[in-house]
Amino acid sequence: MEPHEVLRIRLAGQQLREPRAATAEEAVKNLLAVQAQEFPYARWSLAQRTAGATAADVEQALADGRILRTHILRPTWHFVHRDDLPWLRALSAPRLHQANGGTYRSTGIDSEAATRSAEVLAEAVAGGVHLTREQLAVRLQGAGFAAQGLVLAYLIMHAEISGVLVSGAAVRSPGGALRQTYAAFDERVAGAAPAAMPSREESLAALALRYFGSRGPATVRDCADWSGLTMTDVRKGLALAEEIAPGAIVAASFDGADFYLRPPDSAGETLHGGGPGRRLEPERARNGRPQMDLVQCYDEYIMGYSVSRHYFGGTAPAYPFGDTPMHVVLADGMLAGSWRHSLVRRGSAAQRCELDIRLSRPLGDAAEQALETAVARYADFLEVPTVRIPAGS
């Protein structure tokens, strides 16, 4: 398999190419979990996988609880579909608590403190109440906890991982930025949890099917690093997936490694582009024009992989040097530069968006036109006028 074939299949599986998802929650459902610590850009990661969802559409799905934002998997912030959160939390919680063990100890969060703080937090959000971190801190401090800084962050995270708290409806700050709130886990996922939770083996199989079905070709190590599971668990999940859904995930060996992916025919194409012995051509060949994408640096197209991330031609996320933006410009699926947005506000309302786009190599006229199309799509997403500004201005 050639590198451009790997990229084409990944772009299609992740719905960065047609056919896209109908809604943001369908995009999350396909990917299972989407890294979301940079909330303004993470909204875009969902919307750009749809036929035209806006930032407001994504925010409404989060407010309604169809999509939830919580600490899960490695751990960091992720978007997860409400239907998937109960079993995914149960699968990953033991590993998350193990990973956080050193910080729990250094901050004095032992089992007694975790249990008592969970009781305080559960009472604070009971009955449909949604509170910000600062409001939760007041409740915890009132109960005698030194709830600030790292202690506050890990008391709340412990409650998320333990199924006490989950994201509520966001609120806007006076400056217009959205702020996370927290709500009762059981209330926000009410009706989503099945009558009987899947077994751990069934959950491992489900994770393997969803991960390799959306991100393949990918390796066992890629999946283990993404999910926080062990490689043994990932291999077990693949074996169980083959029992449950024979042929849903297939193996391919190239570049000295074993990869797993959804059979290409199930995505409407074959490994060889639809004909015997015919390889897929570079990504732009489908319509004869280049394709430009503005993706966040934590997009699943990047963070969905570890050992095989290099196929997109660069290193990301990378610490920005000086004034260099962190987010990623793709040209035909390959790293071509960096970008960021700046919202110009009047009061709490955004008046316009300025995009600082830095290209690492010259583009032809057709690619420049494709970049303007990407800028226009971002404007549609934000629903405010959006312009590209000179680099560094």
Side-chain angles (χ1 to χ4, degrees):
M1 191 180 295
E2 297 294 327
H4 63 258
E5 295 179 284
V6 174
L7 296 184
R8 169 171 283 188
I9 295 169
R10 287 179 176 179
L11 288 163
Q14 291 207 24
Q15 296 185 301
L16 285 168
R17 298 292 180 267
E18 301 293 344
R20 301 182 195 266
T23 62
E25 54 263 42
E26 286 189 17
V28 174
K29 196 77 170 173
N30 176 55
L31 290 168
L32 184 57
V34 174
Q35 194 161 330
Q37 68 264 47
E38 292 283 342
F39 181 76
Y41 293 94
R43 298 173 308 171
W44 171 235
S45 283
L46 299 185
Q48 71 185 138
R49 288 169 162 85
T50 73
T54 64
D57 293 331
V58 178
E59 291 165 15
Q60 190 60 55
L62 285 155
D64 293 344
R66 289 171 279 149
I67 298 170
L68 297 166
R69 181 173 180 255
T70 191
H71 284 90
I72 204 163
L73 297 178
R74 288 187 293 278
T76 189
W77 289 107
H78 282 85
F79 290 141
V80 183
H81 195 284
R82 177 177 59 190
D83 293 348
D84 292 315
L85 186 54
W87 69 264
L88 192 58
R89 187 205 66 80
L91 178 64
S92 64
R95 296 280 295 178
L96 291 175
H97 283 313
Q98 182 182 44
N100 287 345
T103 306
Y104 291 158
R105 289 188 290 274
S106 69
T107 52
I109 304 174
D110 57 18
S111 59
E112 180 182 353
T115 298
R116 192 161 62 87
S117 66
E119 292 171 352
V120 173
L121 294 170
E123 182 179 356
V125 297
V129 176
H130 296 194
L131 298 178
T132 64
R133 176 172 294 202
E134 292 76 15
Q135 291 169 322
L136 292 178
V138 171
R139 299 296 187 94
L140 288 167
Q141 290 162 5
F145 289 92
Q148 56 186 342
L150 204 59
V151 175
L152 174 62
Y154 275 80
L155 284 173
I156 292 176
M157 191 189 302
H158 194 291
E160 291 178 87
I161 297 168
S162 301
V164 176
L165 296 179
V166 76
S167 63
V171 296
R172 287 202 179 274
S173 69
L178 281 172
R179 299 177 63 199
Q180 170 98 23
T181 69
Y182 297 85
F185 183 97
D186 288 343
E187 292 176 13
R188 291 290 269 178
V189 301
M197 284 287 286
S199 67
R200 187 171 190 276
E201 289 71 21
E202 290 169 330
S203 295
L204 288 173
L207 185 142
L209 285 167
R210 300 275 283 284
Y211 173 84
F212 291 104
S214 61
R215 292 170 179 79
T219 69
V220 167
R221 169 62 74 182
D222 287 326
C223 183
D225 290 343
W226 175 83
S227 65
L229 297 173
T230 65
M231 293 178 67
T232 298
D233 277 340
V234 174
R235 291 191 182 98
K236 182 185 294 185
L238 281 167
L240 292 166
E242 178 62 20
E243 294 178 11
I244 293 170
I249 302 297
V250 297
S253 296
F254 54 92
D255 288 348
D258 295 328
F259 290 78
Y260 299 87
L261 67 157
R262 178 176 57 181
D265 277 336
S266 65
E269 61 184 19
T270 70
L271 287 176
H272 300 289
R278 175 172 168 252
R279 294 188 310 185
L280 287 170
E281 297 175 7
E283 214 278 316
R284 68 171 63 184
R286 181 161 297 182
N287 59 17
R289 297 189 299 273
Q291 176 77 49
M292 303 295 297
D293 296 282
L294 304 175
V295 301
Q296 67 146 331
C297 64
Y298 301 112
D299 191 89
E300 292 300 314
Y301 183 71
I302 298 165
M303 298 304 296
Y305 313 93
S306 54
V307 295
S308 72
R309 187 180 300 174
H310 63 278
Y311 280 97
F312 90 110
T315 301
Y319 187 81
F321 293 99
D323 193 41
T324 304
M326 286 184 64
H327 301 288
V328 173
V329 180
L330 299 174
D332 297 327
M334 297 289 291
L335 180 66
S338 60
W339 71 286
R340 65 179 164 218
H341 76 214
S342 297
L343 292 175
V344 179
R345 297 182 181 276
R346 180 176 300 163
S348 63
Q351 299 298 302
R352 72 177 186 276
C353 175
E354 297 177 343
L355 294 184
D356 179 358
I357 299 175
R358 317 278 184 93
L359 298 173
S360 57
R361 51 189 168 89
L363 300 177
D365 290 343
E368 286 286 356
Q369 291 174 6
L371 186 55
E372 291 305 312
T373 299
V375 171
R377 191 172 179 214
Y378 201 70
D380 292 340
F381 159 71
L382 290 177
E383 298 183 287
V384 298
T386 299
V387 297
R388 181 180 173 186
I389 61 173
S393 63

